[in-house]
């Protein structure tokens, strides 16, 4: 009965996390006193997921403690599924860190105080290590995909195989195949968030290929699913893409209106990368 009583708390923390209320979700979970080792493990897993999700959304790296607590809870109460979840959360954290590092390099490239030749030398020196890190992430995610205990988890691993291939390894064909697999697994398992993730990135491939009609179909469906599950960050990210698409379709006023709303929400939710993207888009449409 204790685990059944805990489930509404876990569901509420997930809803708060998806709404961008990470601190409130953490406070809620920390207020619960676990009655059993199984409850302690479930709470630790939820806290770790909130921390990893917040790190990715707000471009921070603060989840190490929560991940260590989950590992400690697993040592006292081993569980194969939670063990898989821990490995997957670590992969997500490491992927987010890799993206954040890349973002810092891009920003430094606009700093006139650093000579361009020094930036180029730095990038060349760091490239082999970054490629090795990307390949290591790819191997880890494939192992997670192969050992996933259910279709939904296998689908999320497939999705991350896709973004690693796309964003870190520059292998678009591999990424497309992984997203397609994630979509199939998401639909099979009824995981609306996974379906939305796959459609977002499949739509990006359609957009790159110049198929704006298909991109709109996939991006609008992805947006609807994120709204359905109450995912604030995901919805704003999708609306940013729809603003890009409106501009490409020759409708700058619609693009500017969408970008302006995304920018307002992003500022209030402390989502720096979305705030920057939407601000850039606003300047483009005004220009």
């Amino acid at each position: 009965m204790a685990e059944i009583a805990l489930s509404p708390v876990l569901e509420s923390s997930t809803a708060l996390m998806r709404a961008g209320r990470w601190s409130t979700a953490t406070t809620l979970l920390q207020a619960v006193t676990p009655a059993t080792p199984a409850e302690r493990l479930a709470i630790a897993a939820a806290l770790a997921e909130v921390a990893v999700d917040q790190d990715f959304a707000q471009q921070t790296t603060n989840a190490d403690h929560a991940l260590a607590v989950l590992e400690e809870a697993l040592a006292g109460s081993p569980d194969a599924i939670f063990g898989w979840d821990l490995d997957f959360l670590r992969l997500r954290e490491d992927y987010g860190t890799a993206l954040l590092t890349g973002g810092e390099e891009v920003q430094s490239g606009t700093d006139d105080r650093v000579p361009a030749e020094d930036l180029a030398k730095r990038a060349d020196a760091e490239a082999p290590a970054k490629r090795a890190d990307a390949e290591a992430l790819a191997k880890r995610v494939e192992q997670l995909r192969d050992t996933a205990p259910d279709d939904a988890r296998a689908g999320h691993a497939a999705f991350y195989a896709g973004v690693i291939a796309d964003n870190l390894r520059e292998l678009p064909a591999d990424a497309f195949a992984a997203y397609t697999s994630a979509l199939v697994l998401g639909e099979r398992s009824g995981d609306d968030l996974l379906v939305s993730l796959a459609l977002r990135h499949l739509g990006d491939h359609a957009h790159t290929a110049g198929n704006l009609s298909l991109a709109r179909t996939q991006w609008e469906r992805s947006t609807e699913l994120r709204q359905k599950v109450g995912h604030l960050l995901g919805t704003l990210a999708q609306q940013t893409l729809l603003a890009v698409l409106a501009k490409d379709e020759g409708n700058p006023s619609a693009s500017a209106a969408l970008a302006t709303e995304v920018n307002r929400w992003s500022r209030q939710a402390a989502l720096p990368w979305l705030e920057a993207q939407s601000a850039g888009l606003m300047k483009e449409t005004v220009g």
Side-chain angles (χ1 to χ4, degrees):
M1 293 296 293
E3 291 185 13
I4 295 174
L6 180 62
S7 61
V9 176
L10 299 177
E11 291 171 2
S12 297
S13 72
T14 297
L16 287 166
M17 176 185 71
R18 290 180 175 178
R21 304 292 297 273
W22 298 281
S23 295
T24 306
T26 299
T27 299
L28 172 65
L29 292 165
Q30 289 175 338
V32 177
T33 301
T36 66
E39 285 193 355
R40 177 172 176 253
L41 181 57
I43 292 169
L47 283 166
E49 183 176 12
V50 170
V52 169
D53 192 75
Q54 183 174 13
D55 271 356
F56 184 82
Q58 297 189 322
Q59 296 186 316
T60 54
T61 54
N62 301 320
D64 285 351
H65 175 70
L67 290 167
V69 170
L70 175 54
E71 182 177 17
E72 180 184 350
L74 273 166
S77 183
D79 183 283
I81 293 178
F82 279 119
W84 189 95
D85 289 344
L86 172 59
D87 289 340
F88 184 58
L89 286 171
R90 283 177 169 156
L91 176 99
R92 288 175 53 188
E93 181 74 3
D94 291 344
Y95 169 73
T97 299
L99 282 186
L100 179 59
T101 301
E104 289 173 347
E105 288 181 353
V106 170
Q107 291 172 9
S108 70
T110 65
D111 190 342
D112 293 334
R113 295 169 297 177
V114 183
E117 60 270 22
D118 289 350
L119 290 170
K121 289 178 182 178
R122 184 192 307 171
D124 288 343
E126 292 175 348
K130 289 187 177 298
R131 283 196 296 270
D133 289 345
E135 292 305 315
L137 282 174
K139 290 180 180 177
R140 285 168 59 189
V141 79
E142 284 304 320
Q143 183 177 10
L144 284 164
R145 188 175 178 177
D146 292 342
T147 59
D150 53 57
D151 283 345
R153 286 177 170 85
H156 282 279
F159 168 74
Y160 270 86
V163 292
I164 290 167
D166 242 348
N167 300 329
L168 302 180
R169 303 175 68 208
E170 299 181 1
L171 298 173
D174 289 1
F176 185 86
Y179 299 143
T180 301
S181 176
L183 178 60
V184 171
L185 290 165
E187 290 174 337
R188 184 188 302 165
S189 61
D191 189 323
D192 287 334
L193 179 58
L194 175 56
V195 172
S196 80
L197 290 168
L199 287 173
R200 169 183 171 83
H201 289 265
L202 287 169
D204 185 56
H205 279 249
H207 179 259
T208 299
N211 191 339
L212 301 188
S213 176
L214 178 59
R216 175 165 289 283
T217 297
Q218 292 175 324
W219 282 349
E220 286 183 345
R221 179 58 177 154
S222 178
T223 304
E224 291 169 357
L225 289 170
R226 290 169 186 225
Q227 291 168 329
K228 177 181 178 182
V229 301
H231 199 289
L232 175 65
L233 167 64
T235 299
L236 294 176
Q238 278 308 108
Q239 289 178 329
T240 302
L241 290 182
L242 290 173
V244 170
L245 188 57
K247 177 174 67 71
D248 292 343
E249 291 171 334
N251 193 345
S253 59
S255 178
L258 270 173
T260 299
E261 285 305 308
V262 170
N263 189 262
R264 289 170 178 163
W265 275 96
S266 299
R267 287 200 312 271
Q268 298 306 316
L271 302 172
W273 57 280
L274 272 178
E275 182 180 349
Q277 285 181 4
S278 55
L281 191 57
M282 290 161 61
K283 290 180 181 178
E284 288 179 18
T285 52
V286 170

